[in-house]
Amino acid sequence: MLWTAAAVVAFGFLVALEIAARHYGVAGPITNQAREVIFAPKSGPLLYAGMALMMVVFTWRQRFIALGVAVCIDVVFFLVRWAVDAEMMFGNGALWVILGCAVIAVTRRTGQERVLLLKGVGLSLLLVAGRKTGDTWLLITSKTRPTVLDQYVATADHALGNPSWLAGRLVSATGPVGAHVLDYVYIQLAVAAVIVALYQLRNVSVERRFPGHHLVRTFLVIGLLGPAIYMIFPVVGPIFTYGTGAFGTGGEQWALADLWPHTPPPVATPHAIPFDEITPRNCMPSLHTAWATTIFIHSRKGPRLLRYAGVFWLVATLGATLGFGYHYGVDIIAGVVFAFTIDAALRSLDRGWDRAGIQLVAYGATVFALLLVSYRFLPMQMATYPWVFGPLLVLAMLSVVQGYARTTKLWDPKPVPAQQPEPQPEMV
């Protein structure tokens, strides 16, 4: 019943977003996803990543069959598009396999096997539809929030030494090679999440059940709750507010000045400023940072190569978000606190709420709320006394991280010590 209720709520949410998007004269997430059954998808790797997530419930033989069917369908689509000179992109085959498995689950499976397959299909479709939902959310933020609070955030960012301006100069110095690497990492974040999730879900096909807590849950909840904060604290980012930079188009006529990434903005009394109806207000908090932090958290219990990959993706994502001028330093801190708090809440929900879990989640939520309040109402004080507020911001973030590490260590099962054989008396 819980999964049925979640499916109904998710479908109602998608319908509401579809109606909202139609109100603004564009297609919504349901329409955009449905057209990818025939037309070129926006992201082929994401569709295959979603299919891989679904295949954790399959045997190896079933996985090879599903992958072969998807590739064959994509080859047919490729040849047809090449013949009619249409837009080229793969991924339709993966979507067809996902939808086909949903039909098989309903018509050919029963009992626990049906539930297990529907869970796999549901996770893959949520991952795939999450991007479409995010695009619609970003459109709504740009249409419903005519003013932005970038001046407040940029002023508060002086407490951290304006890290976006420093990172922007570093990325410019690396040239196009460094920019392309960071851009790929930034765009393919969901694929990296699926790699970590596949490791966590590797035993589903044998145990015939999903673990209580895994990366995909946290990833999806972050994507669901984060855009609500965009509506409360609309911010577009330094590249749009303060110039074009070296690797992208900025705010053009809406920019206050061409300052990023070479000249930090002056300290002045901030105020809300009007902005265009196109640029998403998607800075506070940095969800890319939150997602990369979640990948880092969930990769800690994997093999060494996976742990190294988690560190790399987190560092590279931070470099991209700051170096491309998409985020300020203060919303990076907010994104880290946001990620640890949500993951703590989901872990507590899975194991049963206890005093330690409630305290950790309450503390993380309080720190996150205080960060937003301070960015909005104390930016001048933060810029005037950076040696006070800068360390305070970092310490507040680290306190949440340390609290998470200490509490979850208590939750982890203790290894059972090996039984030592009792010494046997020698025969004389």
Side-chain angles (χ1 to χ4, degrees):
M1 292 183 65
L2 177 62
W3 277 88
T4 302
V8 171
V9 172
F11 182 73
F13 179 68
L14 289 174
V15 171
L17 285 181
E18 183 75 25
I19 295 172
R22 294 289 181 176
H23 175 72
Y24 293 111
V26 297
I30 297 177
T31 303
N32 285 330
Q33 192 63 69
R35 72 182 301 275
E36 291 188 352
V37 174
I38 301 298
F39 297 99
K42 186 174 182 179
S43 175
L46 181 62
L47 287 170
Y48 271 91
M51 186 182 72
L53 192 60
M54 177 194 67
M55 290 195 301
V56 297
V57 305
F58 290 173
T59 63
W60 278 107
R61 178 176 177 273
Q62 292 170 333
R63 291 169 186 170
F64 285 122
I65 293 174
L67 181 60
V69 171
V71 171
C72 290
I73 293 174
D74 266 326
V75 169
V76 173
F77 272 96
F78 180 88
L79 294 175
V80 172
R81 287 179 183 139
W82 177 74
V84 300
D85 196 25
E87 180 184 358
M88 304 299 292
M89 175 54 73
F90 64 94
N92 300 87
L95 183 57
W96 278 48
V97 168
I98 294 172
L99 297 177
C101 288
V103 174
I104 292 173
V106 174
T107 60
R108 304 292 298 275
R109 297 287 187 270
T110 59
Q112 185 61 29
E113 288 299 312
R114 172 186 288 176
V115 173
L116 187 67
L117 183 53
L118 285 177
K119 285 182 179 181
V121 171
L123 282 179
S124 63
L125 288 178
L126 282 174
L127 180 70
V128 171
R131 180 160 187 170
K132 308 300 180 187
T133 303
D135 292 342
T136 304
W137 257 117
L138 298 183
L139 170 70
I140 293 174
T141 64
S142 64
K143 299 294 186 181
T144 60
R145 292 296 179 267
T147 61
V148 297
L149 304 178
D150 279 77
Q151 281 196 342
Y152 292 90
V153 180
T155 303
D157 213 38
H158 282 277
L160 299 174
N162 304 106
S164 180
W165 273 256
L166 175 60
R169 293 194 292 270
L170 291 176
V171 172
S172 299
T174 62
V177 175
H180 288 317
V181 171
L182 293 180
D183 184 60
Y184 182 82
V185 170
Y186 189 85
I187 292 174
Q188 301 299 339
L189 187 66
V191 178
V194 169
I195 293 174
V196 177
L198 289 177
Y199 174 78
Q200 292 183 319
L201 304 176
R202 64 193 183 279
N203 295 324
V204 171
S205 62
V206 176
E207 299 176 355
R208 311 310 294 168
R209 65 179 181 86
F210 281 85
H213 180 59
H214 51 83
L215 170 65
V216 181
R217 291 178 45 171
T218 307
F219 210 79
L220 293 173
V221 173
I222 287 175
L224 179 65
L225 298 181
I229 312 299
Y230 294 165
M231 305 293 285
I232 299 171
F233 210 115
V235 181
V236 294
I239 192 174
F240 298 102
T241 313
Y242 295 101
T244 59
F247 301 107
T249 301
E252 298 176 349
Q253 72 270 20
W254 292 92
L256 296 178
D258 190 7
L259 301 177
W260 189 88
H262 301 292
T263 307
V267 177
T269 303
H271 60 274
I273 58 175
F275 215 77
D276 63 34
E277 295 185 358
I278 301 174
T279 307
R281 280 66 162 149
N282 62 338
C283 268
M284 182 62 68
S286 169
L287 291 196
H288 262 79
T289 298
W291 283 320
T293 301
T294 303
I295 292 173
F296 171 80
I297 293 171
H298 285 262
S299 65
R300 293 304 85 203
K301 294 184 179 180
R304 181 178 300 179
L305 181 60
L306 194 66
R307 296 198 303 270
Y308 287 164
V311 173
F312 166 77
W313 223 272
L314 176 60
V315 173
T317 300
L318 293 178
T321 55
L322 292 172
F324 291 143
Y326 298 150
H327 289 281
Y328 304 89
V330 290
D331 44 84
I332 297 293
I333 288 181
V336 172
V337 174
F338 192 65
F340 275 96
T341 303
I342 290 179
D343 197 74
L346 292 175
R347 288 198 63 169
S348 296
L349 179 65
D350 172 55
R351 67 181 305 275
W353 290 95
D354 58 10
R355 183 176 180 179
I358 294 172
Q359 289 177 339
L360 175 60
V361 174
Y363 178 71
T366 302
V367 170
F368 181 75
L370 290 176
L371 289 174
L372 297 186
V373 171
S374 64
Y375 300 159
R376 179 62 177 82
F377 296 104
L378 298 175
M380 286 298 296
Q381 291 82 348
M382 297 172 72
T384 305
Y385 305 103
W387 294 106
V388 175
F389 284 94
L392 282 178
L393 291 176
V394 176
L395 287 174
M397 177 189 70
L398 292 179
S399 68
V400 175
V401 175
Q402 196 271 341
Y404 177 92
R406 184 182 66 249
T407 305
T408 53
K409 185 177 181 180
L410 298 176
W411 292 344
D412 290 337
K414 303 294 187 296
V416 179
Q419 293 286 341
Q420 298 292 331
E422 295 185 5
Q424 299 294 326
E426 292 188 18
M427 300 296 296
V428 178

